[in-house]
Amino acid sequence: MQINAPFWDSLVFAGIDAVDACQLPGLTGFALHLLRDLDAVTAGLTPDWNSGSIEGAVNRLKKIKRQLYGRAGFEVLRKMILLQ
């Protein structure tokens, strides 16, 4: 396949070609469906946004919750979150 694409595209196509070569029915069907909807696969692998700040906030809340598990009620948890 000759497609002018970023580096990861070539990796996806190389993986699909390797699956086609192994001739396993379940995997070849999956690879065929990936090729049929390649635009959706490309859109899913290259988001325009980054969820790093949200993940950091969620991790911080989980850490506080783990620290207070079994020791305090909701009000203390709420105060800890608001104070940090």
Side-chain angles (χ1 to χ4, degrees):
M1 280 179 215
Q2 291 292 352
I3 295 179
N4 200 3
F7 175 71
W8 68 266
D9 272 351
S10 62
L11 290 178
V12 169
F13 286 119
I16 290 173
D17 289 341
V19 167
D20 280 338
C22 75
Q23 297 298 316
L24 293 173
L27 290 178
T28 54
F30 177 70
L32 177 66
H33 289 291
L34 283 179
L35 285 175
R36 284 184 187 164
D37 204 7
L38 196 58
D39 291 337
V41 172
T42 303
L45 292 174
T46 56
D48 293 335
W49 48 271
N50 184 347
S51 63
S53 60
I54 300 299
E55 290 297 325
V58 169
N59 284 337
R60 189 180 114 252
L61 293 175
K62 286 182 180 181
K63 181 188 83 165
I64 293 170
K65 187 176 175 184
R66 277 193 304 271
Q67 289 172 342
L68 297 177
Y69 181 77
R71 297 189 185 121
F74 178 73
E75 285 303 317
V76 176
L77 177 63
R78 182 176 177 271
K79 288 179 183 176
M80 287 288 291
I81 290 172
L82 292 176
L83 289 175
Q84 286 189 358

